[in-house]
Amino acid sequence: DTAVSQTPKYLVTQMGNDKSIKCEQNLGHDTMYWYKQDSKKFLKIMFSYNNKELIINETVPNRFSPKSPDKAHLNLHINSLELGDSAVYFCASSRRTTGNTIYFGEGSWLTVV
Amino acid sequence: AQKVTQAQTEISVVEKEDVTLDCVYETRDTTYYLFWYKQPPSGELVFLIRRNSFDEQNEISGRYSWNFQKSTSSFNFTITASQVVDSAVYFCALSEAVGSARQLTFGSGTQLTVLP
């Protein structure tokens, strides 16, 4: 069974569109994350939610808005997509307790044309 | 701010060779956690190991072994008798506390290519 699942896996869309990536985890974790991997493979955190509360909000454009309807889901909505938003977006989850392993989804490849 | 350095951008070896991937970190935390993740060509991020700062014992798991040296702030990863399936990007990461959460700071990754 998939532990952290995100959809869609591939997304090609035009500049200016609005799109969402959904994420669900069935691990019983209380903390979820969104990470972005750029074309050079560099991974950087975007957001972190704990029990539906926003904990970490790195410097990302306001066009990116995470939404956590419950602690098993963390969706990422992106408005007015730009070419520079093309990247792989990884959802992840962990237990809140110190040092717990963060498990990642399979990634969503977003291409803006 | 913490930092993770993987100085080897790309490594290429022939199958059955041993290879070591280097990781050097910086942190002011006294308690911290180090990780290695593997990203195969299919793109997913696979957890390999977690090590806390109080446990300096080396660990071996099959052909994989990890050498944690607090004195040199290094957490190196060795693959013994490499195989073609080991070809992937390997990331070292450091976990820090941010408020009530923790976040991972990743190194830039090492692309390992194992040739048949």
Side-chain angles (χ1 to χ4, degrees):
Chain A
D1 287 339
T2 304
V4 182
S5 59
Q6 46 184 118
T7 55
K9 183 163 184 176
Y10 300 101
L11 182 56
V12 180
T13 187
Q14 291 187 323
M15 282 176 57
N17 284 350
D18 302 339
K19 291 294 178 185
S20 292
I21 306 172
K22 295 184 177 181
C23 179
E24 175 181 6
Q25 54 93 6
N26 61 5
L27 295 167
H29 291 165
D30 50 14
T31 304
M32 295 185 72
Y33 312 80
W34 278 106
Y35 279 79
K36 179 180 179 180
Q37 185 174 43
D38 63 23
S39 58
K40 295 184 179 178
K41 298 281 190 180
F42 188 68
L43 278 154
K44 187 170 170 54
I45 191 167
M46 300 173 68
F47 303 103
S48 172
Y49 269 74
N50 178 264
N51 283 322
K52 306 194 311 178
E53 180 186 353
L54 181 64
I55 300 297
I56 296 172
N57 184 357
E58 290 295 301
T59 306
V60 298
N62 291 336
R63 300 181 294 101
F64 290 79
S65 54
K67 292 222 175 10
S68 182
D70 56 60
K71 65 179 187 178
H73 295 83
L74 180 62
N75 304 322
L76 183 65
H77 189 76
I78 315 170
N79 290 327
S80 303
L81 279 155
E82 300 177 356
L83 292 177
D85 297 332
S86 296
V88 184
Y89 293 86
F90 285 96
C91 180
S93 73
S94 71
R95 291 194 189 280
R96 179 178 177 168
T97 49
T98 302
N100 262 298
T101 301
I102 297 178
Y103 292 94
F104 288 84
E106 294 185 337
S108 294
W109 272 253
L110 172 64
T111 302
V112 182
V113 297
Chain B
Q2 58 182 35
K3 186 177 174 183
V4 178
T5 301
Q6 294 181 255
Q8 303 150 308
T9 306
E10 295 181 20
I11 300 177
S12 186
V13 299
V14 177
E15 206 169 20
K16 297 184 184 176
E17 285 184 4
D18 299 347
V19 58
T20 295
L21 310 182
D22 298 333
C23 174
V24 175
Y25 62 92
E26 295 175 29
T27 182
R28 291 182 180 177
D29 290 352
T30 52
T31 301
Y32 52 89
Y33 297 82
L34 294 160
F35 298 80
W36 277 94
Y37 286 85
K38 173 183 179 180
Q39 188 173 37
S42 50
E44 70 272 25
L45 282 164
V46 179
F47 163 73
L48 294 178
I49 190 172
R50 181 187 75 186
R51 172 67 66 203
N52 75 54
S53 52
F54 295 108
D55 182 2
E56 289 195 67
Q57 270 196 330
N58 291 332
E59 181 154 344
I60 298 174
S61 175
R63 296 183 297 106
Y64 294 172
S65 62
W66 290 269
N67 184 340
F68 174 36
Q69 299 218 342
K70 213 167 173 178
S71 59
T72 56
S73 298
S74 65
F75 186 42
N76 296 337
F77 172 31
T78 298
I79 303 175
T80 303
S82 60
Q83 300 175 0
V84 172
V85 293
D86 296 327
S87 297
V89 180
Y90 291 87
F91 291 95
C92 181
L94 174 64
S95 175
E96 67 169 340
V98 178
S100 58
R102 298 197 73 86
Q103 71 176 56
L104 286 178
T105 297
F106 283 88
S108 53
T110 297
Q111 170 72 61
L112 173 65
T113 301
V114 181
L115 302 169

